[in-house]
Amino acid sequence: MEKQPLDLPEVAYTSDCRARVAFEVLANRWDPVVLFTLGETGPMRPRALITRIGGISPKVLNDALRRLEYNGLVERRPYAEAPPRVDYALTDAGQALLGPMGAMGAWAARYTDDVLAAQDRFETRTGSAP
Amino acid sequence: MEKQPLDLPEVAYTSDCRARVAFEVLANRWDPVVLFTLGETGPMRPRALITRIGGISPKVLNDALRRLEYNGLVERRPYAEAPPRVDYALTDAGQALLGPMGAMGAWAARYTDDVLAAQDRFETRTGSAP
């Protein structure tokens, strides 16, 4: 049985730790889905994204696109046409995030069953999800 | 200028898409930090985690540990001792998630400045964050 000291001198993370940004920019469940879809297809108009992503409402998509734009992962590109047209494209930062996201997806393919089984056990034991 | 069809026949994501699980299990900002800390140090007691992670409150840490346990990434291990003792250890699924998380961290090291600059531009232009 391992013993752990109660007080470690080194503070590993502070509130401005840069590595946190990677997780915060993808903290919403839909943002990675939208990002990955744009990586697969290239620039898309909102209506095309709605068609391609199952189960997303126009409002939820719009919120996701605004967050992705705010975080510099997606660029909003309006065109001076009649009727007005806009599409969304990945930025360099958004493009570079696809690889790490792919690694996350490979993990999910292997461990999703474990996750779902653990959730069932937790709910059976405690009577609720956290 | 690229043209995109408005209606794509293929629905890439449905609401039960398994790849989403990877992002959902880390949707809270603190959960990855706690997971990575346990990966660095091995099993730890809650008080040691609080010391090591800057800026986390006992309640926030407790909530994160419960979510991580619910998602099967962390195992809660009570010991029959007096006074009672408990520590937390990574599961296989949690251990396997460290690699993809490291790829995300490398992305953050390279692109965090871009993200912060984009956030400033967005707030300057729109007057608020999304």
Side-chain angles (χ1 to χ4, degrees), chain A residues 25 45 54 58-59 61 69 84 95-96 113 118 123 129:
Chain A
V25 297
R45 299 176 67 171
K59 174 175 177 359
L61 174 65
E69 186 191 3
Q95 185 72 37
D113 284 343
E123 292 188 23

Side-chain angles (χ1 to χ4, degrees), chain A residues 35 38 42-44 65 72-77 79 87-92 94, chain B residues 2:
Chain A
L35 203 67
L38 288 172
M44 288 184 101
L65 287 169
L73 304 179
V74 155
E75 181 190 7
R76 182 179 184 277
R77 311 191 304 183
Y79 297 93
D87 68 16
Y88 290 84
L90 295 184
T91 61
D92 289 348
Chain B
E2 293 141 285

Side-chain angles (χ1 to χ4, degrees), chain A residues 4 12-13 36 43 52 54 71 119, chain B residues 4 12-13 36 43 54 71 119:
Chain A
Q4 289 293 324
Y13 301 94
F36 189 66
R52 188 157 178 88
N71 288 319
Q119 292 174 345
Chain B
Q4 288 293 325
Y13 300 94
F36 189 66
N71 288 319
Q119 291 174 346

Side-chain angles (χ1 to χ4, degrees), chain B residues 65-84:
Chain B
L65 288 169
R66 272 178 65 86
R67 277 190 304 269
L68 289 167
E69 186 191 2
Y70 171 70
N71 288 319
L73 303 179
V74 155
E75 182 190 5
R76 182 179 184 276
R77 310 191 305 182
Y79 297 92
E81 298 178 0

Side-chain angles (χ1 to χ4, degrees), chain A residues 1 4 8 12-13 20 30 36-37 43-44 51-52 54 69-71 79 85 93 96 107 119 123 125, chain B residues 1 4 8 12-13 20 30 36-37 43-44 51-52 54 69-71 79 85 93 96 107 111 119 123 125:
Chain A
M1 188 184 303
Q4 289 293 324
L8 296 177
Y13 301 94
R20 282 185 182 156
W30 284 105
F36 189 66
T37 304
M44 288 184 101
T51 302
R52 188 157 178 88
E69 186 191 3
Y70 171 71
N71 288 319
Y79 297 93
R85 187 165 72 88
W107 175 88
Q119 292 174 345
E123 292 188 23
R125 198 182 77 234
Chain B
M1 187 183 303
Q4 288 293 325
L8 295 177
Y13 300 94
R20 282 184 180 153
W30 285 105
F36 189 66
T37 304
M44 288 185 101
T51 302
R52 188 157 178 89
E69 186 191 2
Y70 171 70
N71 288 319
Y79 297 92
R85 187 166 73 89
W107 175 88
Y111 287 103
Q119 291 174 346
E123 292 188 23
R125 197 182 78 234

